[in-house]
Amino acid sequence: MVSYYDELLAHRGGLESVVRGAAVLSGAPARMMIPGWRCAVRILPDGRRDDEPGPAEAGWASVSQPDPSVTLWIERLAPPGPVDAVILERALLAARTVLERTPGRLAISRNDPATVEVAIDADAPPEARARAARQLGLTAGQLVRVVAWEGRPAQLQAAAQPISVADSRQRVGIGPAVPVENAPDSAQAARLALRFASDADDHRVVRADDLGVLLLLGETISEAHQRWRSHPDVLAVQRAAGHAAWVLPTFDAVAVSDSLRTAAAILVVHHSTLQKRVSQFPRLLGWDVTTPSGRLRLQLALFVVRLTQQT
């Protein structure tokens, strides 16, 4: 088993050869999944490829690594013995070596920040953006989207690739699907969507496609941010935020909630505590945030604060 994989790597075998070795050596079907490459390989014990299996079963022997995400299975329900364990470990080591030998493909799974930055930079020459896209494994005309994260480099990925943000505690903005040549447009929309996000769970991830006319409003504010930044409502929100640490999170929760009870649940405070806070807002802001027009006014002022604070 050891010599098989040593020889395979010496002859620069690929991922299919890695899986074929696991299947032939174990005498059971073997499969490999690499989500970042949208890659799935399944080999039968006789060496034939069969990529239309059912879902993996929990009882199969398996081994995996997180970066890039790779999982290998031997499709045998019997308790895994030492032979299967050695096969899987050697196969994973071989797969990792193959991945490291393929920098162009590996870049798309790791989303190299420097390369992505070039690909989505509107000021970069088109030929430089095209070269960066190719380095990320993207082809001309391919639909892509940009994901903007709070505190993390942006991601550029194929539009068909799932976006894993369900467990994120960060704010996230997701740009629209565009041809890779127009990636800067998706990046701009993603960054605007990020500024519309809030700390409330239901509003932590914002898709530019869902913003509608608000996206145009965001572009207008960004282009003329000095005038918007000096609006009295915006200044009132900024002054109020300095009153106490709880003010801005409370603004966010009230702005995105249909009731004060919902806002209290988001903030994890008692309803009466929130009512006491909200009762101070007319003094701090100059208007009542509990009316429909007052809540809209607060929403817009918060949007302007977020849209101008980084421009």
Side-chain angles (χ1 to χ4, degrees):
M1 290 179 288
V2 173
S3 62
Y4 172 88
Y5 282 110
D6 286 346
E7 187 173 349
L8 183 150
L9 292 175
H11 289 83
R12 304 187 72 83
L15 293 176
E16 183 171 334
S17 297
V18 171
V19 183
R20 180 170 287 107
V24 173
L25 291 170
S26 68
R31 70 172 72 183
M32 174 189 293
M33 293 289 295
I34 310 179
W37 286 19
R38 303 183 297 282
C39 172
V41 179
R42 181 174 184 263
I43 304 293
L44 301 176
D46 62 5
R48 291 182 297 114
R49 183 160 177 169
D50 176 18
D51 287 350
E52 296 186 1
E57 297 192 25
W60 291 345
S62 66
V63 65
S64 62
Q65 69 170 36
D67 183 22
S69 178
V70 179
T71 304
L72 292 102
W73 292 268
I74 291 176
E75 299 180 10
R76 185 162 29 227
L77 287 175
V83 174
D84 284 356
V86 172
I87 292 172
L88 287 170
E89 288 297 335
R90 294 297 300 181
L92 181 63
L93 176 62
R96 185 159 53 237
T97 302
V98 173
L99 293 172
E100 290 170 353
R101 286 176 176 174
T102 320
R105 292 293 301 276
L106 188 59
I108 191 170
S109 65
R110 290 186 175 173
N111 234 299
D112 176 63
T115 307
V116 170
E117 192 59 35
V118 174
I120 66 177
D121 184 358
D123 295 327
E127 57 272 19
R129 296 204 308 268
R131 183 167 57 251
R134 288 194 299 271
Q135 290 172 350
L136 293 166
L138 301 167
T139 57
Q142 183 175 359
L143 289 180
V144 299
R145 69 174 76 247
V146 174
V147 182
W149 300 76
E150 183 181 45
R152 283 174 49 182
Q155 289 178 282
L156 174 64
Q157 62 183 61
Q161 183 178 345
I163 302 171
S164 300
V165 297
D167 298 329
S168 173
R169 302 305 299 170
Q170 295 168 310
R171 298 178 182 182
V172 182
I174 301 174
V178 298
V180 67
E181 295 80 6
N182 298 332
D185 295 338
S186 184
Q188 180 185 15
R191 294 186 185 110
L192 285 172
L194 173 61
R195 296 183 189 180
F196 278 91
S198 73
D199 289 331
D201 287 342
D202 291 344
H203 296 266
R204 197 177 298 277
V205 179
V206 176
R207 293 179 177 270
D209 289 336
D210 296 334
L211 289 175
V213 71
L214 288 176
L215 192 64
L216 179 60
L217 174 63
E219 293 175 359
T220 302
I221 293 171
S222 295
E223 291 169 0
H225 64 274
Q226 290 295 352
R227 290 183 60 191
W228 286 90
R229 184 178 288 170
S230 60
H231 190 277
D233 284 5
V234 175
L235 296 176
V237 166
Q238 292 174 323
R239 283 195 302 270
H243 175 72
W246 54 261
V247 172
L248 196 55
T250 304
F251 281 167
D252 282 336
V254 170
V256 301
S257 301
D258 55 5
S259 70
L260 291 184
R261 290 196 179 277
T262 302
I266 291 173
L267 295 166
V268 195
V269 299
H270 194 272
H271 182 244
S272 61
T273 300
L274 180 59
Q275 285 182 317
K276 290 179 182 178
R277 293 182 180 180
V278 172
S279 68
Q280 301 180 52
F281 288 170
R283 175 177 57 84
L284 294 173
L285 289 174
W287 73 87
D288 183 3
V289 301
T290 62
T291 66
S293 60
R295 189 161 70 97
L296 177 60
R297 192 172 170 182
L298 175 62
Q299 289 173 339
L300 292 174
L302 287 170
F303 288 157
V304 175
V305 168
R306 293 196 191 100
L307 287 164
T308 59
Q309 64 187 357
Q310 297 178 16
T311 56

